[in-house]
């Protein structure tokens, strides 16, 4: 039995009539940049996220970058970031001319450890940037308390957490602003790149609307030096269809996670830890094993597709070699990178496939 890590085509086939009709609606409209389709998605997604504002942009990295600019981050500033994250979190900071300051994660949840944040704050710190990694909410209350204590802003990276809840409330506006990615593999994924920000702050949202559109509110009148980063209306139309089934698809992911948690409980893997206040979106189901590479090879030979998120932490990437980081600087992030393995958990993974994955892991580990 061949088990793919993620089957994007299956999601399209499930929704094909609705997706095709939505795309045709945009094509028939003759309006292909921003417009009513994007406006409608922004309102619907804001409502879903329990936020007052949503602004669609071209991709998740732009969402982070423009949000940081809207928060006033620039050259000479510092932004606190997780040491364990996808590099886009760091790149957005660097694009502003600011410096990413890594903080190690809680080894149980993989998310930034609030107890380590305060010691990383300096007079140049402007923003704390937690990531809701793998779809599990970061512990926001202590992060927000620290931010208020030092007069800092909080930008959440929600790229993997569509539909997740922290203490009963959806991720979407706990901090000052949340950046989202709609990359095709996300829980809410487009058919190409796409992104957005959500916030309760109308001024931040307006700044981002201007920045995404060449710095312009009125055509040919440019208030600031902006960017071309607009959510495509065809993608917005498809996302509107997918948003209606997001909770259903997330429930499928949660069921698979539950089966993994039970079936792999005594196998010898480090399984995800979920705090009582968290309701993950289960974007990824990540386990750890000291012989990860050998285990992944065996699973691959048995027809089970897995991925590694992420094999090289940002501080050891060549892109940040000039920062002077060396092996051992952030040992928790490095251990996760060396031992983590993501198992199939997409909404179209069948029950029999889950049974096979559990069986193979019980056999190999």
């Amino acid at each position: 039995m061949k088990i793919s890590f993620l089957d994007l085509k299956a999601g399209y086939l499930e929704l094909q009539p609705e997706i095709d009709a939505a795309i045709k609606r945009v094509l028939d409209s003759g309006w292909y940049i921003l417009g009513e389709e994007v406006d409608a998605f922004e309102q619907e997604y804001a409502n879903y996220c329990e936020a007052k504002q949503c602004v669609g942009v071209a991709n998740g990295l732009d969402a982070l970058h423009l949000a940081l600019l809207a928060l006033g981050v620039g050259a000479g500033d510092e932004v606190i970031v997780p040491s364990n994250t996808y590099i886009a979190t760091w790149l957005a900071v660097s694009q502003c001319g600011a410096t990413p300051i890594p903080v190690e994660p809680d080894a149980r949840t993989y998310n930034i450890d609030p107890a380590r944040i305060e010691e990383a704050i300096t007079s140049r710190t402007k923003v704390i940037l937690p990531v809701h990694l793998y779809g599990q909410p970061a512990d926001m209350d202590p992060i927000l308390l620290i931010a208020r204590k030092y007069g800092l802003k909080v930008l959440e990276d929600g790229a993997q957490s569509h539909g997740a809840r922290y203490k009963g409330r959806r991720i979407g506006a706990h901090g000052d602003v949340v950046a989202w990615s709609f990359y095709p593999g996300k829980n809410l994924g487009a058919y190409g790149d796409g992104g957005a920000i959500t916030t309760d702050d109308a001024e931040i949202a307006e700044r981002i609307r201007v920045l995404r559109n060449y710095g312009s509110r009125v055509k040919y009148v440019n208030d600031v030096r902006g960017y071309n980063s607009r959510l495509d209306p065809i993608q917005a139309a498809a996302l509107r269809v997918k948003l209606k089934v997001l909770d259903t698809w997330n429930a499928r992911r949660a069921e698979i996670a539950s089966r993994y948690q039970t079936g792999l409980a005594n196998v010898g893997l480090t399984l995800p830890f979920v705090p009582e206040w968290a309701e993950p979106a289960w974007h990824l189901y990540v386990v750890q094993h000291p012989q990860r590479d050998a285990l992944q090879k065996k699973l691959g030979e048995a027809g089970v597709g897995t991925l590694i998120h992420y094999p090289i932490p940002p501080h050891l990437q060549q892109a940040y070699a000039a920062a002077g980081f060396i092996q051992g600087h952030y040992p928790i992030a490095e251990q996760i990178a060396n031992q983590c393995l993501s198992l199939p958990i997409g909404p179209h993974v069948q029950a029999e496939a889950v049974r096979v994955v559990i069986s193979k892991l019980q056999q190999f580990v």
Side-chain angles (χ1 to χ4, degrees), residues 191-212:
Y191 293 101
D193 275 318
I197 68 93
T198 54
T199 180
D200 280 346
D201 190 317
E203 290 186 10
I204 290 175
E206 180 61 18
R207 285 183 214 130
I208 293 171
R209 286 192 185 95
V210 172
L211 286 168
R212 75 174 176 179

Side-chain angles (χ1 to χ4, degrees), residues 154-228:
V154 175
L155 164 61
E156 304 167 63
D157 185 337
Q160 301 183 4
S161 63
H162 312 78
R165 293 180 186 271
Y166 175 73
K167 297 187 176 179
R169 179 186 174 192
R170 285 201 200 275
I171 298 300
H174 289 84
D176 295 281
V177 60
V178 185
W180 301 93
S181 168
F182 303 126
Y183 181 79
K186 304 299 187 186
N187 291 40
L188 182 61
Y191 293 101
D193 275 318
I197 68 93
T198 54
T199 180
D200 280 346
D201 190 317
E203 290 186 10
I204 290 175
E206 180 61 18
R207 285 183 214 130
I208 293 171
R209 286 192 185 95
V210 172
L211 286 168
R212 75 174 176 179
N213 192 41
Y214 297 97
S216 175
R217 291 181 175 85
V218 178
K219 195 169 185 178
Y220 302 131
V221 178
N222 302 83
D223 300 325
V224 296
R225 298 176 186 178
Y227 301 82
N228 177 15

